[in-house]
Amino acid sequence: AQSVTQLGSHVSVSEGALVLLRCNYSSSVPPYLFWYVQYPNQGLQLLLKYTTGATLVKGINGFEAEFKKSETSFHLTKPSAHMSDAAEYFCAVIGGFKTIFGAGTRLFVKA
Amino acid sequence: NAGVTQTPKFRILKIGQSMTLQCTQDMNHNYMYWYRQDPGMGLKLIYYSVGAGITDKGEVPNGYNVSRSTTEDFPLRLELAAPSQTSVYFCASSYSVREAKNIQYFGAGTRLSVL
């Protein structure tokens, strides 16, 4: 069965600093991986996805993620944090036709 | 284009009361989902539907019911509200369940408190 584990329920960075949100997956088949973002009082929206092909995936708002099969990881990064990046981020894997979400990581950005 | 619309945004129920959470989408998606979100727990799938007239249980269906009479609407029914159902509920839809295309579009959520 597919699953994802997000390391760290809260991450705090200063504005302009690197953002790194960690996600490890478990899958018996080649995984399809997603990152979603949830801004306060809103639903989730897609940030980026990995299906096949290039292992470095670029998403919206300057975020990117790298699929590393050897490490079963799909970490999300952004070179320079902005105050508007403060949100909760969810890693997800497709399991059959269902989406399995991680527990989420809340990102705080300090001025 | 409204996307996925949920009503109400907030609701307080007394124990034992019932209510229906409404969800409608205007993207002509066949696949629709109900999730609940509890702090630190991510999203748990309650029910899903693969098309009008077809629904199935997800991970946490107890205490809930759904129906899907049209492609657009997917209401979630709570028959006898319990404090354990205090949560934020999200409806979502997708146009495909083929893995690479299974992108979900979410409503803004319904925040429910059962007291």
Side-chain angles (χ1 to χ4, degrees):
Chain A
Q2 285 79 6
S3 66
V4 290
T5 301
Q6 292 184 241
L7 304 176
S9 58
H10 297 84
V11 170
S12 182
V13 300
S14 298
E15 193 172 22
L18 172 71
V19 175
L20 171 60
L21 305 182
R22 300 178 187 272
C23 173
N24 288 92
Y25 70 89
S26 173
S27 178
S28 56
V29 298
Y32 295 90
L33 296 160
F34 298 72
W35 276 99
Y36 284 82
V37 60
Q38 183 182 29
Y39 298 104
N41 299 314
Q42 295 185 26
L44 282 68
Q45 58 184 279
L46 182 69
L47 200 56
L48 51 79
K49 66 175 181 176
Y50 168 78
T51 54
T52 58
T55 57
L56 182 63
V57 180
K58 295 188 184 298
I60 61 173
N61 300 334
F63 283 92
E64 61 184 33
E66 186 170 10
F67 172 69
K68 292 187 176 180
K69 183 178 179 180
S70 61
E71 299 177 8
T72 61
S73 68
F74 190 56
H75 301 332
L76 182 70
T77 60
K78 181 174 180 178
S80 177
H82 191 273
M83 297 296 289
S84 60
D85 295 326
E88 190 156 18
Y89 294 80
F90 293 90
C91 183
V93 66
I94 298 296
F97 54 85
K98 301 173 188 175
T99 300
I100 299 163
F101 292 89
T105 297
R106 185 167 296 278
L107 177 65
F108 297 93
V109 182
K110 299 174 292 186
Chain B
N1 189 346
V4 179
T5 302
Q6 292 183 238
T7 56
K9 294 188 184 304
F10 305 95
R11 184 72 185 267
I12 298 175
L13 284 181
K14 294 182 179 178
I15 294 171
Q17 286 185 321
S18 37
M19 76 164 293
T20 300
L21 282 66
Q22 301 291 346
C23 175
T24 186
Q25 53 93 7
D26 62 0
M27 297 174 283
N28 201 32
H29 289 173
N30 281 326
Y31 308 97
M32 296 188 74
Y33 313 84
W34 274 106
Y35 296 92
R36 58 177 289 169
Q37 182 182 30
D38 300 300
M41 302 296 289
L43 280 78
K44 302 295 184 185
L45 182 64
I46 304 172
Y47 271 94
Y48 64 96
S49 171
V50 300
I54 307 171
T55 63
D56 205 350
K57 297 177 180 179
E59 189 179 354
V60 290
N62 291 343
Y64 308 95
N65 278 298
V66 293
S67 59
R68 184 96 182 271
S69 57
T70 66
T71 299
E72 294 79 17
D73 300 309
F74 190 40
L76 178 71
R77 178 86 177 161
L78 284 70
E79 290 294 349
L80 291 171
S84 60
Q85 293 177 305
T86 294
S87 188
V88 182
Y89 292 84
F90 288 99
C91 179
S93 70
S94 66
Y95 64 92
S96 172
V97 291
R98 291 181 61 188
E99 293 89 343
K101 297 183 178 181
N102 193 344
I103 298 169
Q104 304 212 348
Y105 296 82
F106 284 79
T110 295
R111 190 174 298 272
L112 176 67
S113 294
V114 182
L115 305 175

Short mmCIF file of all heavy atoms in Angstrom, two decimals, chain A residues 41-106:
data_model
loop_
_atom_site.label_atom_id
_atom_site.label_comp_id
_atom_site.label_asym_id
_atom_site.label_seq_id
_atom_site.Cartn_x
_atom_site.Cartn_y
_atom_site.Cartn_z
N ASN A 41 -7.79 29.19 5.82
CA ASN A 41 -9.23 29.23 5.53
C ASN A 41 -9.55 28.94 4.06
O ASN A 41 -10.57 29.42 3.54
CB ASN A 41 -9.83 30.58 5.93
CG ASN A 41 -9.66 30.84 7.42
OD1 ASN A 41 -9.91 29.98 8.24
ND2 ASN A 41 -9.19 32.02 7.75
N GLN A 42 -8.70 28.18 3.41
CA GLN A 42 -8.95 27.79 2.03
C GLN A 42 -8.80 26.29 1.87
O GLN A 42 -8.28 25.60 2.77
CB GLN A 42 -7.99 28.51 1.08
CG GLN A 42 -8.14 30.01 1.03
CD GLN A 42 -7.25 30.63 -0.01
OE1 GLN A 42 -6.86 29.99 -0.99
NE2 GLN A 42 -6.90 31.89 0.20
N GLY A 43 -9.25 25.78 0.75
CA GLY A 43 -9.01 24.39 0.42
C GLY A 43 -7.61 24.19 -0.13
O GLY A 43 -6.86 25.15 -0.31
N LEU A 44 -7.26 22.95 -0.37
CA LEU A 44 -5.93 22.65 -0.91
C LEU A 44 -5.89 22.97 -2.40
O LEU A 44 -6.89 22.87 -3.10
CB LEU A 44 -5.61 21.16 -0.72
CG LEU A 44 -5.16 20.70 0.66
CD1 LEU A 44 -6.28 20.79 1.67
CD2 LEU A 44 -4.60 19.29 0.58
N GLN A 45 -4.70 23.32 -2.87
CA GLN A 45 -4.51 23.51 -4.31
C GLN A 45 -3.18 22.91 -4.71
O GLN A 45 -2.22 22.88 -3.92
CB GLN A 45 -4.57 25.00 -4.69
CG GLN A 45 -3.59 25.89 -4.00
CD GLN A 45 -3.79 27.35 -4.38
OE1 GLN A 45 -3.34 27.80 -5.42
NE2 GLN A 45 -4.49 28.07 -3.55
N LEU A 46 -3.12 22.44 -5.94
CA LEU A 46 -1.94 21.75 -6.41
C LEU A 46 -0.76 22.70 -6.56
O LEU A 46 -0.88 23.78 -7.14
CB LEU A 46 -2.23 21.08 -7.76
CG LEU A 46 -1.07 20.27 -8.34
CD1 LEU A 46 -0.84 19.02 -7.50
CD2 LEU A 46 -1.36 19.90 -9.78
N LEU A 47 0.39 22.29 -6.03
CA LEU A 47 1.62 23.05 -6.14
C LEU A 47 2.49 22.49 -7.26
O LEU A 47 3.00 23.22 -8.11
CB LEU A 47 2.37 22.96 -4.81
CG LEU A 47 3.44 23.98 -4.47
CD1 LEU A 47 2.91 25.40 -4.53
CD2 LEU A 47 3.98 23.69 -3.07
N LEU A 48 2.65 21.16 -7.27
CA LEU A 48 3.40 20.49 -8.33
C LEU A 48 3.14 19.00 -8.25
O LEU A 48 2.60 18.51 -7.25
CB LEU A 48 4.90 20.79 -8.23
CG LEU A 48 5.60 20.58 -6.90
CD1 LEU A 48 5.90 19.12 -6.63
CD2 LEU A 48 6.89 21.38 -6.83
N LYS A 49 3.55 18.30 -9.30
CA LYS A 49 3.37 16.84 -9.31
C LYS A 49 4.53 16.17 -10.05
O LYS A 49 5.14 16.75 -10.95
CB LYS A 49 2.05 16.47 -9.97
CG LYS A 49 1.99 16.79 -11.46
CD LYS A 49 0.69 16.27 -12.07
CE LYS A 49 0.64 16.56 -13.57
NZ LYS A 49 -0.56 15.99 -14.22
N TYR A 50 4.81 14.95 -9.64
CA TYR A 50 5.78 14.09 -10.33
C TYR A 50 5.04 12.86 -10.86
O TYR A 50 4.35 12.18 -10.09
CB TYR A 50 6.90 13.63 -9.40
CG TYR A 50 7.72 12.53 -10.00
CD1 TYR A 50 8.68 12.81 -10.97
CD2 TYR A 50 7.50 11.20 -9.67
CE1 TYR A 50 9.40 11.80 -11.57
CE2 TYR A 50 8.23 10.18 -10.25
CZ TYR A 50 9.17 10.49 -11.21
OH TYR A 50 9.87 9.48 -11.80
N THR A 51 5.20 12.62 -12.14
CA THR A 51 4.59 11.41 -12.71
C THR A 51 5.70 10.51 -13.24
O THR A 51 6.07 9.55 -12.61
CB THR A 51 3.60 11.78 -13.82
OG1 THR A 51 4.24 12.61 -14.80
CG2 THR A 51 2.43 12.55 -13.23
N THR A 52 6.26 10.81 -14.37
CA THR A 52 7.41 10.08 -14.90
C THR A 52 8.33 11.09 -15.56
O THR A 52 7.98 12.25 -15.73
CB THR A 52 6.99 9.02 -15.93
OG1 THR A 52 6.30 9.68 -16.99
CG2 THR A 52 6.10 7.96 -15.32
N GLY A 53 9.52 10.65 -15.94
CA GLY A 53 10.41 11.54 -16.65
C GLY A 53 11.34 12.31 -15.73
O GLY A 53 11.90 11.75 -14.78
N ALA A 54 11.48 13.59 -15.98
CA ALA A 54 12.42 14.42 -15.24
C ALA A 54 12.15 14.35 -13.74
O ALA A 54 11.02 14.48 -13.29
CB ALA A 54 12.31 15.87 -15.71
N THR A 55 13.22 14.13 -12.97
CA THR A 55 13.05 13.94 -11.53
C THR A 55 12.97 15.27 -10.78
O THR A 55 12.53 15.28 -9.62
CB THR A 55 14.22 13.11 -10.97
OG1 THR A 55 15.45 13.77 -11.29
CG2 THR A 55 14.20 11.71 -11.55
N LEU A 56 13.40 16.36 -11.41
CA LEU A 56 13.26 17.68 -10.78
C LEU A 56 12.02 18.34 -11.36
O LEU A 56 11.94 18.59 -12.56
CB LEU A 56 14.50 18.53 -11.03
CG LEU A 56 14.49 19.92 -10.37
CD1 LEU A 56 14.45 19.78 -8.84
CD2 LEU A 56 15.71 20.72 -10.81
N VAL A 57 11.07 18.61 -10.50
CA VAL A 57 9.78 19.13 -10.94
C VAL A 57 9.62 20.56 -10.44
O VAL A 57 9.84 20.83 -9.26
CB VAL A 57 8.63 18.26 -10.39
CG1 VAL A 57 7.29 18.80 -10.86
CG2 VAL A 57 8.80 16.81 -10.81
N LYS A 58 9.22 21.43 -11.33
CA LYS A 58 9.00 22.83 -10.95
C LYS A 58 7.51 23.08 -10.82
O LYS A 58 6.70 22.59 -11.61
CB LYS A 58 9.62 23.76 -11.98
CG LYS A 58 11.14 23.65 -12.04
CD LYS A 58 11.75 24.70 -12.93
CE LYS A 58 13.25 24.53 -13.05
NZ LYS A 58 13.94 24.66 -11.75
N GLY A 59 7.15 23.87 -9.80
CA GLY A 59 5.75 24.18 -9.58
C GLY A 59 5.51 25.68 -9.58
O GLY A 59 6.32 26.47 -10.05
N ILE A 60 4.40 26.05 -8.99
CA ILE A 60 4.04 27.46 -8.94
C ILE A 60 4.78 28.17 -7.82
O ILE A 60 5.28 27.53 -6.89
CB ILE A 60 2.51 27.63 -8.76
CG1 ILE A 60 2.05 27.00 -7.44
CG2 ILE A 60 1.77 27.04 -9.95
CD1 ILE A 60 0.58 27.29 -7.11
N ASN A 61 4.86 29.48 -7.92
CA ASN A 61 5.42 30.34 -6.87
C ASN A 61 6.88 30.03 -6.54
O ASN A 61 7.31 30.26 -5.40
CB ASN A 61 4.57 30.25 -5.59
CG ASN A 61 3.13 30.70 -5.83
OD1 ASN A 61 2.86 31.48 -6.73
ND2 ASN A 61 2.22 30.18 -5.03
N GLY A 62 7.63 29.49 -7.49
CA GLY A 62 9.06 29.26 -7.29
C GLY A 62 9.42 27.99 -6.55
O GLY A 62 10.59 27.75 -6.24
N PHE A 63 8.45 27.15 -6.25
CA PHE A 63 8.73 25.89 -5.57
C PHE A 63 9.17 24.82 -6.56
O PHE A 63 8.77 24.83 -7.71
CB PHE A 63 7.49 25.40 -4.82
CG PHE A 63 7.23 26.13 -3.53
CD1 PHE A 63 6.41 27.24 -3.49
CD2 PHE A 63 7.82 25.70 -2.35
CE1 PHE A 63 6.18 27.92 -2.32
CE2 PHE A 63 7.59 26.37 -1.16
CZ PHE A 63 6.77 27.48 -1.14
N GLU A 64 9.97 23.91 -6.08
CA GLU A 64 10.34 22.74 -6.86
C GLU A 64 10.55 21.55 -5.93
O GLU A 64 10.72 21.72 -4.72
CB GLU A 64 11.59 22.99 -7.71
CG GLU A 64 12.83 23.33 -6.95
CD GLU A 64 13.98 23.66 -7.89
OE1 GLU A 64 13.76 24.22 -8.99
OE2 GLU A 64 15.13 23.35 -7.53
N ALA A 65 10.51 20.36 -6.51
CA ALA A 65 10.71 19.14 -5.72
C ALA A 65 11.51 18.17 -6.57
O ALA A 65 11.39 18.14 -7.79
CB ALA A 65 9.37 18.54 -5.32
N GLU A 66 12.31 17.36 -5.90
CA GLU A 66 13.13 16.38 -6.58
C GLU A 66 12.75 14.98 -6.14
O GLU A 66 12.76 14.68 -4.94
CB GLU A 66 14.61 16.61 -6.34
CG GLU A 66 15.50 15.69 -7.17
CD GLU A 66 16.96 16.07 -7.11
OE1 GLU A 66 17.33 16.92 -6.28
OE2 GLU A 66 17.73 15.50 -7.91
N PHE A 67 12.43 14.14 -7.10
CA PHE A 67 12.12 12.74 -6.84
C PHE A 67 13.43 11.96 -6.77
O PHE A 67 14.21 11.95 -7.72
CB PHE A 67 11.23 12.18 -7.95
CG PHE A 67 11.02 10.69 -7.88
CD1 PHE A 67 10.27 10.14 -6.85
CD2 PHE A 67 11.56 9.85 -8.85
CE1 PHE A 67 10.07 8.77 -6.79
CE2 PHE A 67 11.36 8.49 -8.79
CZ PHE A 67 10.61 7.94 -7.75
N LYS A 68 13.68 11.31 -5.62
CA LYS A 68 14.88 10.48 -5.45
C LYS A 68 14.44 9.08 -5.08
O LYS A 68 14.09 8.81 -3.92
CB LYS A 68 15.79 11.07 -4.37
CG LYS A 68 16.43 12.40 -4.77
CD LYS A 68 17.44 12.84 -3.73
CE LYS A 68 18.16 14.11 -4.17
NZ LYS A 68 19.16 14.57 -3.19
N LYS A 69 14.50 8.21 -6.06
CA LYS A 69 14.02 6.85 -5.84
C LYS A 69 14.87 6.12 -4.81
O LYS A 69 14.36 5.40 -3.96
CB LYS A 69 14.04 6.08 -7.16
CG LYS A 69 13.50 4.67 -7.08
CD LYS A 69 13.52 4.00 -8.45
CE LYS A 69 12.99 2.58 -8.37
NZ LYS A 69 13.00 1.92 -9.69
N SER A 70 16.19 6.34 -4.86
CA SER A 70 17.08 5.63 -3.94
C SER A 70 16.83 6.01 -2.49
O SER A 70 17.09 5.22 -1.58
CB SER A 70 18.53 5.92 -4.31
OG SER A 70 18.80 7.31 -4.19
N GLU A 71 16.31 7.21 -2.28
CA GLU A 71 16.03 7.67 -0.92
C GLU A 71 14.53 7.66 -0.61
O GLU A 71 14.13 8.05 0.49
CB GLU A 71 16.57 9.10 -0.73
CG GLU A 71 18.08 9.20 -0.92
CD GLU A 71 18.59 10.62 -0.81
OE1 GLU A 71 17.81 11.52 -0.44
OE2 GLU A 71 19.78 10.84 -1.11
N THR A 72 13.73 7.22 -1.54
CA THR A 72 12.25 7.26 -1.45
C THR A 72 11.79 8.61 -0.91
O THR A 72 10.98 8.68 0.03
CB THR A 72 11.68 6.10 -0.59
OG1 THR A 72 12.18 6.19 0.75
CG2 THR A 72 12.04 4.77 -1.19
N SER A 73 12.31 9.68 -1.51
CA SER A 73 11.98 11.01 -1.02
C SER A 73 11.44 11.90 -2.15
O SER A 73 11.71 11.66 -3.33
CB SER A 73 13.21 11.67 -0.39
OG SER A 73 14.19 11.96 -1.37
N PHE A 74 10.73 12.91 -1.73
CA PHE A 74 10.18 13.90 -2.66
C PHE A 74 10.10 15.22 -1.89
O PHE A 74 9.05 15.75 -1.63
CB PHE A 74 8.81 13.45 -3.16
CG PHE A 74 8.25 14.27 -4.29
CD1 PHE A 74 8.96 14.44 -5.47
CD2 PHE A 74 6.99 14.83 -4.20
CE1 PHE A 74 8.44 15.18 -6.53
CE2 PHE A 74 6.45 15.57 -5.25
CZ PHE A 74 7.18 15.74 -6.40
N HIS A 75 11.26 15.76 -1.55
CA HIS A 75 11.33 16.97 -0.73
C HIS A 75 10.99 18.22 -1.54
O HIS A 75 11.39 18.35 -2.71
CB HIS A 75 12.70 17.13 -0.11
CG HIS A 75 13.11 15.97 0.76
ND1 HIS A 75 12.20 15.18 1.43
CD2 HIS A 75 14.35 15.50 1.08
CE1 HIS A 75 12.85 14.25 2.12
NE2 HIS A 75 14.15 14.42 1.92
N LEU A 76 10.34 19.16 -0.90
CA LEU A 76 9.93 20.42 -1.53
C LEU A 76 10.89 21.52 -1.12
O LEU A 76 11.20 21.66 0.07
CB LEU A 76 8.51 20.77 -1.08
CG LEU A 76 7.88 22.03 -1.66
CD1 LEU A 76 7.56 21.85 -3.15
CD2 LEU A 76 6.60 22.39 -0.90
N THR A 77 11.33 22.32 -2.08
CA THR A 77 12.26 23.40 -1.77
C THR A 77 11.86 24.69 -2.48
O THR A 77 11.15 24.68 -3.48
CB THR A 77 13.71 23.05 -2.17
OG1 THR A 77 13.75 22.83 -3.59
CG2 THR A 77 14.21 21.81 -1.45
N LYS A 78 12.35 25.78 -1.89
CA LYS A 78 12.24 27.09 -2.52
C LYS A 78 13.46 27.89 -2.07
O LYS A 78 13.75 27.92 -0.87
CB LYS A 78 10.95 27.81 -2.13
CG LYS A 78 10.80 29.17 -2.80
CD LYS A 78 9.45 29.80 -2.50
CE LYS A 78 9.34 31.15 -3.21
NZ LYS A 78 8.02 31.80 -2.99
N PRO A 79 14.21 28.47 -2.99
CA PRO A 79 15.48 29.11 -2.62
C PRO A 79 15.32 30.27 -1.63
O PRO A 79 16.16 30.46 -0.76
CB PRO A 79 16.02 29.62 -3.96
CG PRO A 79 15.33 28.81 -5.00
CD PRO A 79 13.98 28.50 -4.44
N SER A 80 14.23 31.03 -1.76
CA SER A 80 14.09 32.23 -0.95
C SER A 80 12.65 32.39 -0.50
O SER A 80 11.75 32.62 -1.32
CB SER A 80 14.53 33.46 -1.77
OG SER A 80 14.34 34.65 -1.04
N ALA A 81 12.43 32.26 0.80
CA ALA A 81 11.06 32.32 1.33
C ALA A 81 10.50 33.73 1.29
O ALA A 81 11.21 34.71 1.53
CB ALA A 81 11.04 31.79 2.76
N HIS A 82 9.20 33.78 1.03
CA HIS A 82 8.47 35.05 1.05
C HIS A 82 7.37 34.92 2.10
O HIS A 82 6.88 33.83 2.37
CB HIS A 82 7.89 35.32 -0.34
CG HIS A 82 7.34 36.69 -0.50
ND1 HIS A 82 6.05 37.01 -0.17
CD2 HIS A 82 7.91 37.83 -0.94
CE1 HIS A 82 5.84 38.29 -0.40
NE2 HIS A 82 6.95 38.81 -0.87
N MET A 83 6.99 36.06 2.66
CA MET A 83 5.93 36.04 3.68
C MET A 83 4.67 35.35 3.17
O MET A 83 3.97 34.66 3.93
CB MET A 83 5.58 37.46 4.12
CG MET A 83 6.73 38.20 4.79
SD MET A 83 7.25 37.44 6.34
CE MET A 83 5.85 37.83 7.38
N SER A 84 4.39 35.49 1.90
CA SER A 84 3.17 34.90 1.33
C SER A 84 3.23 33.37 1.24
O SER A 84 2.22 32.75 0.91
CB SER A 84 2.90 35.48 -0.06
OG SER A 84 3.98 35.20 -0.92
N ASP A 85 4.41 32.79 1.51
CA ASP A 85 4.53 31.33 1.49
C ASP A 85 4.02 30.67 2.76
O ASP A 85 3.93 29.43 2.83
CB ASP A 85 5.99 30.92 1.27
CG ASP A 85 6.52 31.35 -0.08
OD1 ASP A 85 5.74 31.36 -1.05
OD2 ASP A 85 7.72 31.69 -0.15
N ALA A 86 3.71 31.46 3.76
CA ALA A 86 3.20 30.90 5.01
C ALA A 86 1.89 30.18 4.75
O ALA A 86 0.91 30.78 4.29
CB ALA A 86 3.00 32.02 6.02
N ALA A 87 1.88 28.87 5.01
CA ALA A 87 0.74 28.02 4.67
C ALA A 87 1.03 26.63 5.21
O ALA A 87 2.07 26.38 5.81
CB ALA A 87 0.54 27.97 3.16
N GLU A 88 0.09 25.72 4.97
CA GLU A 88 0.34 24.32 5.28
C GLU A 88 0.54 23.56 3.97
O GLU A 88 -0.19 23.79 3.00
CB GLU A 88 -0.81 23.71 6.09
CG GLU A 88 -0.48 22.34 6.64
CD GLU A 88 -1.30 21.95 7.86
OE1 GLU A 88 -2.35 22.58 8.10
OE2 GLU A 88 -0.89 21.01 8.57
N TYR A 89 1.52 22.68 3.97
CA TYR A 89 1.90 21.96 2.77
C TYR A 89 1.70 20.46 2.98
O TYR A 89 2.09 19.91 4.01
CB TYR A 89 3.36 22.25 2.41
CG TYR A 89 3.56 23.70 2.01
CD1 TYR A 89 3.68 24.70 2.97
CD2 TYR A 89 3.62 24.07 0.67
CE1 TYR A 89 3.83 26.03 2.61
CE2 TYR A 89 3.77 25.39 0.30
CZ TYR A 89 3.88 26.36 1.27
OH TYR A 89 4.04 27.68 0.90
N PHE A 90 1.09 19.84 2.00
CA PHE A 90 0.78 18.41 2.08
C PHE A 90 1.45 17.66 0.93
O PHE A 90 1.29 18.03 -0.23
CB PHE A 90 -0.72 18.18 2.00
CG PHE A 90 -1.49 18.70 3.17
CD1 PHE A 90 -1.99 19.99 3.19
CD2 PHE A 90 -1.73 17.89 4.27
CE1 PHE A 90 -2.69 20.48 4.28
CE2 PHE A 90 -2.44 18.36 5.38
CZ PHE A 90 -2.92 19.65 5.37
N CYS A 91 2.17 16.64 1.28
CA CYS A 91 2.69 15.69 0.31
C CYS A 91 1.63 14.61 0.11
O CYS A 91 0.90 14.26 1.06
CB CYS A 91 3.98 15.08 0.85
SG CYS A 91 4.81 13.96 -0.25
N ALA A 92 1.52 14.09 -1.12
CA ALA A 92 0.48 13.10 -1.39
C ALA A 92 0.98 12.10 -2.43
O ALA A 92 1.82 12.43 -3.27
CB ALA A 92 -0.79 13.78 -1.88
N VAL A 93 0.46 10.90 -2.35
CA VAL A 93 0.78 9.84 -3.31
C VAL A 93 -0.52 9.23 -3.79
O VAL A 93 -1.50 9.16 -3.04
CB VAL A 93 1.69 8.77 -2.67
CG1 VAL A 93 0.98 8.02 -1.55
CG2 VAL A 93 2.22 7.80 -3.71
N ILE A 94 -0.53 8.84 -5.05
CA ILE A 94 -1.72 8.20 -5.58
C ILE A 94 -1.69 6.73 -5.21
O ILE A 94 -0.70 6.03 -5.45
CB ILE A 94 -1.78 8.35 -7.11
CG1 ILE A 94 -1.87 9.83 -7.49
CG2 ILE A 94 -2.97 7.58 -7.67
CD1 ILE A 94 -3.13 10.51 -7.01
N GLY A 95 -2.81 6.26 -4.63
CA GLY A 95 -2.97 4.85 -4.31
C GLY A 95 -4.20 4.33 -5.02
O GLY A 95 -5.31 4.57 -4.57
N GLY A 96 -4.02 3.66 -6.13
CA GLY A 96 -5.17 3.27 -6.95
C GLY A 96 -5.77 4.51 -7.55
O GLY A 96 -5.08 5.27 -8.22
N PHE A 97 -7.03 4.76 -7.32
CA PHE A 97 -7.59 6.03 -7.77
C PHE A 97 -7.89 6.96 -6.60
O PHE A 97 -8.67 7.89 -6.73
CB PHE A 97 -8.84 5.81 -8.64
CG PHE A 97 -9.89 4.97 -7.99
CD1 PHE A 97 -10.82 5.52 -7.14
CD2 PHE A 97 -9.96 3.60 -8.25
CE1 PHE A 97 -11.80 4.75 -6.56
CE2 PHE A 97 -10.93 2.82 -7.65
CZ PHE A 97 -11.86 3.39 -6.81
N LYS A 98 -7.27 6.71 -5.49
CA LYS A 98 -7.41 7.60 -4.35
C LYS A 98 -6.12 8.36 -4.13
O LYS A 98 -5.05 7.89 -4.51
CB LYS A 98 -7.75 6.79 -3.09
CG LYS A 98 -9.02 5.98 -3.20
CD LYS A 98 -9.19 5.09 -1.99
CE LYS A 98 -10.36 4.13 -2.21
NZ LYS A 98 -10.48 3.17 -1.10
N THR A 99 -6.22 9.53 -3.51
CA THR A 99 -5.05 10.30 -3.14
C THR A 99 -4.83 10.15 -1.66
O THR A 99 -5.75 10.38 -0.87
CB THR A 99 -5.25 11.78 -3.51
OG1 THR A 99 -5.45 11.88 -4.92
CG2 THR A 99 -4.03 12.60 -3.12
N ILE A 100 -3.62 9.77 -1.27
CA ILE A 100 -3.28 9.57 0.14
C ILE A 100 -2.40 10.72 0.57
O ILE A 100 -1.30 10.91 0.02
CB ILE A 100 -2.58 8.21 0.33
CG1 ILE A 100 -3.53 7.10 -0.11
CG2 ILE A 100 -2.15 8.03 1.79
CD1 ILE A 100 -2.85 5.79 -0.36
N PHE A 101 -2.88 11.47 1.56
CA PHE A 101 -2.19 12.68 1.99
C PHE A 101 -1.34 12.44 3.23
O PHE A 101 -1.72 11.65 4.11
CB PHE A 101 -3.21 13.78 2.31
CG PHE A 101 -3.95 14.29 1.10
CD1 PHE A 101 -5.13 13.70 0.68
CD2 PHE A 101 -3.46 15.37 0.39
CE1 PHE A 101 -5.81 14.17 -0.43
CE2 PHE A 101 -4.13 15.85 -0.73
CZ PHE A 101 -5.31 15.24 -1.14
N GLY A 102 -0.23 13.14 3.31
CA GLY A 102 0.54 13.18 4.54
C GLY A 102 -0.15 14.04 5.58
O GLY A 102 -1.18 14.66 5.30
N ALA A 103 0.44 14.10 6.76
CA ALA A 103 -0.18 14.83 7.87
C ALA A 103 -0.03 16.34 7.74
O ALA A 103 -0.69 17.08 8.45
CB ALA A 103 0.41 14.36 9.20
N GLY A 104 0.83 16.78 6.83
CA GLY A 104 0.99 18.21 6.61
C GLY A 104 2.14 18.81 7.39
O GLY A 104 2.50 18.34 8.48
N THR A 105 2.74 19.86 6.81
CA THR A 105 3.78 20.65 7.48
C THR A 105 3.38 22.11 7.38
O THR A 105 3.16 22.62 6.28
CB THR A 105 5.15 20.45 6.81
OG1 THR A 105 5.55 19.09 6.92
CG2 THR A 105 6.20 21.34 7.47
N ARG A 106 3.29 22.74 8.53
CA ARG A 106 2.94 24.16 8.53
C ARG A 106 4.22 24.98 8.45
O ARG A 106 5.13 24.81 9.26
CB ARG A 106 2.16 24.52 9.78
CG ARG A 106 1.65 25.96 9.79
CD ARG A 106 0.63 26.20 10.88
NE ARG A 106 -0.59 25.43 10.70
CZ ARG A 106 -1.59 25.78 9.90
NH1 ARG A 106 -1.50 26.90 9.19
NH2 ARG A 106 -2.68 25.04 9.82
#
